Amino acid sequence: MERLEYTRNQQAADVLASHYGRTPVAFVRSFGCQQSVNDGERLKGVLEDVGFTIAEEADGADVILFNTCAVREHAEQRAFGNIGALKALKDQNPALLIGVCGCMTEQKAVVDKIKKSYPYVDMALGANVADELPAILVEKLTTRKKALRVPQKRETIVEDIPQKRASGIKAFLPIMYGCDNYCSYCIVPYVRGRERSRKPAAIQKEFEELLAAGYKDITLLGQNVNSYGKGLKEKLDFSDLLTQLAAVPGEYKLRFMTSHPKDATRKMIDTIAENPRLCKHVHLPIQSGSNNILSRMNRKYAVEDYLALVKYAKETCPEMTFSTDIMVGFPGETEEDFEETMQLCKEVGFTQIFTFIYSKRSGTKAAELPDETTHRAKAARITRLKAQQEEQIADVAKGWLGKTYVCLVEGPARDDKTLLSARLDNNATVEFAGDKALVGHFVPITMQSIKGAILQGTLKQN
Ligand code: SAH
Ligand code: SF4
């Protein structure tokens, strides 16, 4: 597998400067998971590096990039809707360059559809393209070739790509790319390619740079962080990487996602328990509480394995909490299977459940399975699960009320801008009254009540 270092494409920067004769403007919009958001931050970083200003709106931009998600059909439909809306901008400004990149454009059918139905799109760019973007833009501007640039799957790791991060407090730090797991419903291995780990030294360097720049909450990213290290010369696993990173001095919190239950270990739990810089929270997607469904999903663990790990975690570190992803309506899921999922969620007491209705992705194994449950029945299951979770989180949160936790102040509260919003270790949000100067700092907050999933607290004065 090829590993490259990013270097600024000065030649492209010069061509772009003389072509526009002013500072050109780019707009990048990302859809989907944290990895996609981080890819978008790289696209912006590279564009800025070769002379673009990054705009907050598409209107008036010289280059528009849509960085897309392919995990569910709904995400794709929404992206196509948004791409359709760009036609008006292209009509107003024929010099506008429009690019679609990310997971959707790694599928031939999508590129064909763009060619056929969205002829004003100039580029289809794939999911691993940031470093090549300046050269591609120059090629487009100088040749104005009509054809779309159809991406080739690229599994290269490119280090040191500049990033324009959305926040100055929280940052994503990818430790690996791709996925080899082939869960039967999932498109990710087809669009993101083989699993590949970044070298620990490159991760460490970026991590230290983030801390030096003042970041306080860093999330390590990967589709299955627990298999980090496979194929590397350096002999270390994910827990070793956590230990190595969290040894760097400073006041910060380290999180990660996503853990895969088949590879999550007791060693990882011990590592989290021992280090105060590691958040006592694991996002551990179980998908279903039925072993029959898990096996058909090709998840390679049983409910009993999952519960045993959670039990071990709670014994080792009582304050450790879990969140999860649940997929409802996988082909063949019966009411009994779903009841088992409800039961499992009750038993674990998740702090957060992200629920998804199964979406058929062509090319995956599950797409061949008969799916007889109606969308309505699936939606009804989700509603039941959400209602149960709402009751349960109120119960779980009772254990937090009256207690004081050190939280990172992230900014103004979502609805009431007179309040501030802070995050607990366990990823829960608390709103409280305080001075704006606290943003970016860790402060002790006493939890007073909970409304929906949001806690209300008061700043503890010493
Ligand atoms: N690598 C992570 C998840 C990545 S996708 C893991 O294995 O846990 C994030 C979530 O999207 C998944 O956990 C799953 O619940 C959901 N998802 C993936 N493919 C889906 C599909 N075809 N339909 C509906 N939800 C899906
Ligand atoms: Fe998809 Fe499974 Fe890989 Fe997660 S582990 S990205 S669900 S194939």
Side-chain angles (χ1 to χ4, degrees), residues 2 48 51 57 120 134 167 172 237-238 245 258 267 284 294 301 305 317 323 333-334 347-348 353 416 450:
E2 197 181 19
E48 217 172 48
E57 284 175 24
Y120 49 88
S167 152
F172 295 127
D237 64 13
F238 178 59
L245 295 176
T258 302
K267 180 178 171 189
L284 195 61
L294 286 176
Y301 53 83
D305 306 324
C317 179
S323 55
E333 182 189 71
T334 61
E347 196 167 336
V348 177
I353 301 180
D416 182 348
I450 183 159

PDB file of all heavy atoms in Angstrom, residues 2 48 51 57 120 134 167 172 237-238 245 258 267 284 294 301 305 317 323 333-334 347-348 353 416 450:
ATOM      1  N   GLU A   2       0.492   2.198  -0.825  1.00  0.00           N
ATOM      2  CA  GLU A   2       1.315   3.398  -1.010  1.00  0.00           C
ATOM      3  C   GLU A   2       1.074   4.418   0.105  1.00  0.00           C
ATOM      4  O   GLU A   2      -0.069   4.653   0.490  1.00  0.00           O
ATOM      5  CB  GLU A   2       0.903   4.008  -2.348  1.00  0.00           C
ATOM      6  CG  GLU A   2       1.889   4.994  -2.910  1.00  0.00           C
ATOM      7  CD  GLU A   2       1.391   5.591  -4.241  1.00  0.00           C
ATOM      8  OE1 GLU A   2       0.193   5.528  -4.534  1.00  0.00           O
ATOM      9  OE2 GLU A   2       2.246   6.142  -4.949  1.00  0.00           O
ATOM     10  N   GLU A  48      -7.696  25.978   0.541  1.00  0.00           N
ATOM     11  CA  GLU A  48      -7.136  27.179   1.156  1.00  0.00           C
ATOM     12  C   GLU A  48      -5.630  27.260   0.874  1.00  0.00           C
ATOM     13  O   GLU A  48      -5.093  28.325   0.582  1.00  0.00           O
ATOM     14  CB  GLU A  48      -7.387  27.132   2.665  1.00  0.00           C
ATOM     15  CG  GLU A  48      -7.701  28.467   3.257  1.00  0.00           C
ATOM     16  CD  GLU A  48      -8.125  28.337   4.722  1.00  0.00           C
ATOM     17  OE1 GLU A  48      -7.439  27.651   5.500  1.00  0.00           O
ATOM     18  OE2 GLU A  48      -9.142  28.934   5.073  1.00  0.00           O
ATOM     19  N   GLY A  51      -4.836  28.847  -2.350  1.00  0.00           N
ATOM     20  CA  GLY A  51      -5.256  30.227  -2.596  1.00  0.00           C
ATOM     21  C   GLY A  51      -6.734  30.531  -2.534  1.00  0.00           C
ATOM     22  O   GLY A  51      -7.135  31.677  -2.738  1.00  0.00           O
ATOM     23  N   GLU A  57     -21.386  29.772   2.191  1.00  0.00           N
ATOM     24  CA  GLU A  57     -22.558  29.562   1.333  1.00  0.00           C
ATOM     25  C   GLU A  57     -22.129  29.253  -0.094  1.00  0.00           C
ATOM     26  O   GLU A  57     -21.086  29.732  -0.553  1.00  0.00           O
ATOM     27  CB  GLU A  57     -23.385  30.841   1.258  1.00  0.00           C
ATOM     28  CG  GLU A  57     -24.184  31.101   2.489  1.00  0.00           C
ATOM     29  CD  GLU A  57     -24.892  32.435   2.404  1.00  0.00           C
ATOM     30  OE1 GLU A  57     -25.133  32.912   1.267  1.00  0.00           O
ATOM     31  OE2 GLU A  57     -25.185  32.975   3.471  1.00  0.00           O
ATOM     32  N   TYR A 120     -24.545  19.295 -15.702  1.00  0.00           N
ATOM     33  CA  TYR A 120     -23.781  20.494 -15.316  1.00  0.00           C
ATOM     34  C   TYR A 120     -22.778  20.208 -14.212  1.00  0.00           C
ATOM     35  O   TYR A 120     -22.037  21.101 -13.807  1.00  0.00           O
ATOM     36  CB  TYR A 120     -24.749  21.603 -14.882  1.00  0.00           C
ATOM     37  CG  TYR A 120     -25.759  21.114 -13.887  1.00  0.00           C
ATOM     38  CD1 TYR A 120     -25.480  21.150 -12.531  1.00  0.00           C
ATOM     39  CD2 TYR A 120     -26.962  20.561 -14.308  1.00  0.00           C
ATOM     40  CE1 TYR A 120     -26.391  20.658 -11.616  1.00  0.00           C
ATOM     41  CE2 TYR A 120     -27.879  20.066 -13.400  1.00  0.00           C
ATOM     42  CZ  TYR A 120     -27.581  20.113 -12.061  1.00  0.00           C
ATOM     43  OH  TYR A 120     -28.466  19.608 -11.155  1.00  0.00           O
ATOM     44  N   PRO A 134      -6.010  20.184  -6.375  1.00  0.00           N
ATOM     45  CA  PRO A 134      -5.506  21.329  -7.145  1.00  0.00           C
ATOM     46  C   PRO A 134      -5.201  20.965  -8.600  1.00  0.00           C
ATOM     47  O   PRO A 134      -5.594  21.703  -9.527  1.00  0.00           O
ATOM     48  CB  PRO A 134      -4.229  21.727  -6.394  1.00  0.00           C
ATOM     49  CG  PRO A 134      -4.485  21.274  -4.995  1.00  0.00           C
ATOM     50  CD  PRO A 134      -5.254  19.994  -5.123  1.00  0.00           C
ATOM     51  N   SER A 167     -14.065  23.357  14.241  1.00  0.00           N
ATOM     52  CA  SER A 167     -14.019  23.850  15.620  1.00  0.00           C
ATOM     53  C   SER A 167     -12.566  24.054  16.033  1.00  0.00           C
ATOM     54  O   SER A 167     -11.663  23.420  15.496  1.00  0.00           O
ATOM     55  CB  SER A 167     -14.676  22.815  16.534  1.00  0.00           C
ATOM     56  OG  SER A 167     -14.153  22.863  17.842  1.00  0.00           O
ATOM     57  N   PHE A 172     -11.301  15.786  14.880  1.00  0.00           N
ATOM     58  CA  PHE A 172     -11.278  14.377  14.487  1.00  0.00           C
ATOM     59  C   PHE A 172      -9.875  14.019  14.035  1.00  0.00           C
ATOM     60  O   PHE A 172      -9.225  14.792  13.331  1.00  0.00           O
ATOM     61  CB  PHE A 172     -12.238  14.128  13.323  1.00  0.00           C
ATOM     62  CG  PHE A 172     -13.681  14.355  13.670  1.00  0.00           C
ATOM     63  CD1 PHE A 172     -14.464  15.192  12.898  1.00  0.00           C
ATOM     64  CD2 PHE A 172     -14.247  13.726  14.767  1.00  0.00           C
ATOM     65  CE1 PHE A 172     -15.798  15.398  13.205  1.00  0.00           C
ATOM     66  CE2 PHE A 172     -15.579  13.927  15.089  1.00  0.00           C
ATOM     67  CZ  PHE A 172     -16.354  14.768  14.305  1.00  0.00           C
ATOM     68  N   ASP A 237      -1.317  -2.595  19.278  1.00  0.00           N
ATOM     69  CA  ASP A 237      -2.749  -2.693  18.990  1.00  0.00           C
ATOM     70  C   ASP A 237      -3.436  -1.393  19.401  1.00  0.00           C
ATOM     71  O   ASP A 237      -2.764  -0.434  19.818  1.00  0.00           O
ATOM     72  CB  ASP A 237      -3.364  -3.927  19.676  1.00  0.00           C
ATOM     73  CG  ASP A 237      -3.298  -3.847  21.191  1.00  0.00           C
ATOM     74  OD1 ASP A 237      -3.008  -2.754  21.729  1.00  0.00           O
ATOM     75  OD2 ASP A 237      -3.547  -4.870  21.851  1.00  0.00           O
ATOM     76  N   PHE A 238      -4.749  -1.371  19.305  1.00  0.00           N
ATOM     77  CA  PHE A 238      -5.469  -0.129  19.568  1.00  0.00           C
ATOM     78  C   PHE A 238      -5.258   0.355  21.012  1.00  0.00           C
ATOM     79  O   PHE A 238      -5.051   1.549  21.257  1.00  0.00           O
ATOM     80  CB  PHE A 238      -6.965  -0.322  19.274  1.00  0.00           C
ATOM     81  CG  PHE A 238      -7.774   0.896  19.556  1.00  0.00           C
ATOM     82  CD1 PHE A 238      -7.504   2.100  18.906  1.00  0.00           C
ATOM     83  CD2 PHE A 238      -8.799   0.869  20.489  1.00  0.00           C
ATOM     84  CE1 PHE A 238      -8.243   3.250  19.175  1.00  0.00           C
ATOM     85  CE2 PHE A 238      -9.543   2.013  20.760  1.00  0.00           C
ATOM     86  CZ  PHE A 238      -9.262   3.202  20.113  1.00  0.00           C
ATOM     87  N   LEU A 245      -0.848   7.639  23.198  1.00  0.00           N
ATOM     88  CA  LEU A 245      -1.328   9.010  22.966  1.00  0.00           C
ATOM     89  C   LEU A 245      -1.682   9.691  24.285  1.00  0.00           C
ATOM     90  O   LEU A 245      -1.296  10.843  24.523  1.00  0.00           O
ATOM     91  CB  LEU A 245      -2.548   9.010  22.039  1.00  0.00           C
ATOM     92  CG  LEU A 245      -2.311   8.532  20.604  1.00  0.00           C
ATOM     93  CD1 LEU A 245      -3.614   8.485  19.821  1.00  0.00           C
ATOM     94  CD2 LEU A 245      -1.304   9.437  19.877  1.00  0.00           C
ATOM     95  N   THR A 258     -15.213   4.086  15.441  1.00  0.00           N
ATOM     96  CA  THR A 258     -16.188   3.255  16.103  1.00  0.00           C
ATOM     97  C   THR A 258     -15.534   1.960  16.551  1.00  0.00           C
ATOM     98  O   THR A 258     -14.727   1.391  15.814  1.00  0.00           O
ATOM     99  CB  THR A 258     -17.332   2.940  15.135  1.00  0.00           C
ATOM    100  OG1 THR A 258     -17.910   4.156  14.696  1.00  0.00           O
ATOM    101  CG2 THR A 258     -18.399   2.129  15.793  1.00  0.00           C
ATOM    102  N   LYS A 267      -8.679  -5.644  27.418  1.00  0.00           N
ATOM    103  CA  LYS A 267      -7.484  -4.784  27.529  1.00  0.00           C
ATOM    104  C   LYS A 267      -7.869  -3.321  27.234  1.00  0.00           C
ATOM    105  O   LYS A 267      -7.405  -2.399  27.909  1.00  0.00           O
ATOM    106  CB  LYS A 267      -6.419  -5.273  26.532  1.00  0.00           C
ATOM    107  CG  LYS A 267      -5.134  -4.474  26.547  1.00  0.00           C
ATOM    108  CD  LYS A 267      -4.101  -5.064  25.563  1.00  0.00           C
ATOM    109  CE  LYS A 267      -2.900  -4.163  25.390  1.00  0.00           C
ATOM    110  NZ  LYS A 267      -2.009  -4.590  24.300  1.00  0.00           N
ATOM    111  N   LEU A 284     -20.431   1.524  21.078  1.00  0.00           N
ATOM    112  CA  LEU A 284     -20.243   0.115  20.700  1.00  0.00           C
ATOM    113  C   LEU A 284     -21.512  -0.384  19.987  1.00  0.00           C
ATOM    114  O   LEU A 284     -22.433  -0.909  20.616  1.00  0.00           O
ATOM    115  CB  LEU A 284     -19.973  -0.675  21.998  1.00  0.00           C
ATOM    116  CG  LEU A 284     -19.401  -2.080  21.898  1.00  0.00           C
ATOM    117  CD1 LEU A 284     -18.032  -2.093  21.223  1.00  0.00           C
ATOM    118  CD2 LEU A 284     -19.288  -2.717  23.286  1.00  0.00           C
ATOM    119  N   LEU A 294     -27.904 -11.086  14.014  1.00  0.00           N
ATOM    120  CA  LEU A 294     -26.475 -10.715  14.024  1.00  0.00           C
ATOM    121  C   LEU A 294     -25.689 -11.631  13.100  1.00  0.00           C
ATOM    122  O   LEU A 294     -24.786 -11.187  12.388  1.00  0.00           O
ATOM    123  CB  LEU A 294     -25.905 -10.815  15.449  1.00  0.00           C
ATOM    124  CG  LEU A 294     -26.341  -9.703  16.393  1.00  0.00           C
ATOM    125  CD1 LEU A 294     -25.799  -9.966  17.795  1.00  0.00           C
ATOM    126  CD2 LEU A 294     -25.846  -8.340  15.896  1.00  0.00           C
ATOM    127  N   TYR A 301     -20.252 -11.707  16.282  1.00  0.00           N
ATOM    128  CA  TYR A 301     -20.283 -11.816  17.745  1.00  0.00           C
ATOM    129  C   TYR A 301     -21.709 -12.188  18.121  1.00  0.00           C
ATOM    130  O   TYR A 301     -22.626 -12.063  17.302  1.00  0.00           O
ATOM    131  CB  TYR A 301     -19.888 -10.493  18.435  1.00  0.00           C
ATOM    132  CG  TYR A 301     -20.674  -9.294  17.962  1.00  0.00           C
ATOM    133  CD1 TYR A 301     -21.938  -9.003  18.486  1.00  0.00           C
ATOM    134  CD2 TYR A 301     -20.182  -8.454  16.970  1.00  0.00           C
ATOM    135  CE1 TYR A 301     -22.670  -7.913  18.027  1.00  0.00           C
ATOM    136  CE2 TYR A 301     -20.918  -7.374  16.506  1.00  0.00           C
ATOM    137  CZ  TYR A 301     -22.162  -7.110  17.040  1.00  0.00           C
ATOM    138  OH  TYR A 301     -22.896  -6.053  16.583  1.00  0.00           O
ATOM    139  N   ASP A 305     -21.614 -12.326  24.095  1.00  0.00           N
ATOM    140  CA  ASP A 305     -20.239 -11.754  24.110  1.00  0.00           C
ATOM    141  C   ASP A 305     -20.320 -10.270  24.455  1.00  0.00           C
ATOM    142  O   ASP A 305     -19.525  -9.741  25.218  1.00  0.00           O
ATOM    143  CB  ASP A 305     -19.564 -11.851  22.725  1.00  0.00           C
ATOM    144  CG  ASP A 305     -19.570 -13.261  22.175  1.00  0.00           C
ATOM    145  OD1 ASP A 305     -19.428 -14.190  22.988  1.00  0.00           O
ATOM    146  OD2 ASP A 305     -19.729 -13.428  20.946  1.00  0.00           O
ATOM    147  N   CYS A 317     -14.896  -0.462  35.886  1.00  0.00           N
ATOM    148  CA  CYS A 317     -14.965   0.992  35.903  1.00  0.00           C
ATOM    149  C   CYS A 317     -16.444   1.386  35.958  1.00  0.00           C
ATOM    150  O   CYS A 317     -17.086   1.576  34.918  1.00  0.00           O
ATOM    151  CB  CYS A 317     -14.298   1.484  34.609  1.00  0.00           C
ATOM    152  SG  CYS A 317     -14.294   3.243  34.406  1.00  0.00           S
ATOM    153  N   SER A 323     -22.880   3.791  24.386  1.00  0.00           N
ATOM    154  CA  SER A 323     -23.918   4.166  23.434  1.00  0.00           C
ATOM    155  C   SER A 323     -23.851   3.160  22.294  1.00  0.00           C
ATOM    156  O   SER A 323     -22.898   2.379  22.204  1.00  0.00           O
ATOM    157  CB  SER A 323     -23.706   5.595  22.931  1.00  0.00           C
ATOM    158  OG  SER A 323     -22.418   5.747  22.400  1.00  0.00           O
ATOM    159  N   GLU A 333     -36.155  -9.729   9.905  1.00  0.00           N
ATOM    160  CA  GLU A 333     -36.294  -9.429  11.338  1.00  0.00           C
ATOM    161  C   GLU A 333     -37.752  -9.619  11.749  1.00  0.00           C
ATOM    162  O   GLU A 333     -38.646  -8.979  11.194  1.00  0.00           O
ATOM    163  CB  GLU A 333     -35.861  -7.994  11.642  1.00  0.00           C
ATOM    164  CG  GLU A 333     -35.936  -7.661  13.139  1.00  0.00           C
ATOM    165  CD  GLU A 333     -35.712  -6.174  13.434  1.00  0.00           C
ATOM    166  OE1 GLU A 333     -36.619  -5.371  13.092  1.00  0.00           O
ATOM    167  OE2 GLU A 333     -34.654  -5.835  13.977  1.00  0.00           O
ATOM    168  N   THR A 334     -37.986 -10.494  12.725  1.00  0.00           N
ATOM    169  CA  THR A 334     -39.358 -10.741  13.187  1.00  0.00           C
ATOM    170  C   THR A 334     -39.642  -9.873  14.411  1.00  0.00           C
ATOM    171  O   THR A 334     -38.724  -9.275  14.985  1.00  0.00           O
ATOM    172  CB  THR A 334     -39.525 -12.217  13.607  1.00  0.00           C
ATOM    173  OG1 THR A 334     -38.603 -12.452  14.690  1.00  0.00           O
ATOM    174  CG2 THR A 334     -39.230 -13.173  12.469  1.00  0.00           C
ATOM    175  N   GLU A 347     -31.406  -3.894  29.146  1.00  0.00           N
ATOM    176  CA  GLU A 347     -30.417  -4.525  30.020  1.00  0.00           C
ATOM    177  C   GLU A 347     -29.133  -3.699  30.106  1.00  0.00           C
ATOM    178  O   GLU A 347     -28.568  -3.524  31.173  1.00  0.00           O
ATOM    179  CB  GLU A 347     -30.111  -5.920  29.471  1.00  0.00           C
ATOM    180  CG  GLU A 347     -29.425  -6.794  30.476  1.00  0.00           C
ATOM    181  CD  GLU A 347     -29.424  -8.245  30.038  1.00  0.00           C
ATOM    182  OE1 GLU A 347     -30.285  -8.667  29.234  1.00  0.00           O
ATOM    183  OE2 GLU A 347     -28.514  -8.964  30.503  1.00  0.00           O
ATOM    184  N   VAL A 348     -28.682  -3.157  28.969  1.00  0.00           N
ATOM    185  CA  VAL A 348     -27.410  -2.423  28.980  1.00  0.00           C
ATOM    186  C   VAL A 348     -27.586  -1.022  29.575  1.00  0.00           C
ATOM    187  O   VAL A 348     -26.743  -0.536  30.304  1.00  0.00           O
ATOM    188  CB  VAL A 348     -26.804  -2.320  27.557  1.00  0.00           C
ATOM    189  CG1 VAL A 348     -25.527  -1.496  27.571  1.00  0.00           C
ATOM    190  CG2 VAL A 348     -26.537  -3.706  26.989  1.00  0.00           C
ATOM    191  N   ILE A 353     -28.834   5.993  21.868  1.00  0.00           N
ATOM    192  CA  ILE A 353     -29.005   4.967  20.825  1.00  0.00           C
ATOM    193  C   ILE A 353     -29.257   5.686  19.500  1.00  0.00           C
ATOM    194  O   ILE A 353     -30.171   6.506  19.396  1.00  0.00           O
ATOM    195  CB  ILE A 353     -30.203   4.034  21.126  1.00  0.00           C
ATOM    196  CG1 ILE A 353     -30.016   3.331  22.475  1.00  0.00           C
ATOM    197  CG2 ILE A 353     -30.376   3.009  20.015  1.00  0.00           C
ATOM    198  CD1 ILE A 353     -31.167   2.394  22.857  1.00  0.00           C
ATOM    199  N   ASP A 416     -31.252  28.055  23.780  1.00  0.00           N
ATOM    200  CA  ASP A 416     -31.198  29.266  24.603  1.00  0.00           C
ATOM    201  C   ASP A 416     -29.766  29.808  24.608  1.00  0.00           C
ATOM    202  O   ASP A 416     -28.901  29.315  25.320  1.00  0.00           O
ATOM    203  CB  ASP A 416     -31.645  28.910  26.027  1.00  0.00           C
ATOM    204  CG  ASP A 416     -31.667  30.134  26.924  1.00  0.00           C
ATOM    205  OD1 ASP A 416     -31.134  31.185  26.511  1.00  0.00           O
ATOM    206  OD2 ASP A 416     -32.209  30.027  28.035  1.00  0.00           O
ATOM    207  N   ILE A 450     -32.821  16.784  34.029  1.00  0.00           N
ATOM    208  CA  ILE A 450     -32.669  16.393  32.618  1.00  0.00           C
ATOM    209  C   ILE A 450     -33.999  16.604  31.901  1.00  0.00           C
ATOM    210  O   ILE A 450     -35.069  16.324  32.437  1.00  0.00           O
ATOM    211  CB  ILE A 450     -32.168  14.935  32.470  1.00  0.00           C
ATOM    212  CG1 ILE A 450     -31.959  14.582  30.992  1.00  0.00           C
ATOM    213  CG2 ILE A 450     -33.108  13.933  33.141  1.00  0.00           C
ATOM    214  CD1 ILE A 450     -31.022  13.417  30.769  1.00  0.00           C
TER     215      ILE A 450
END
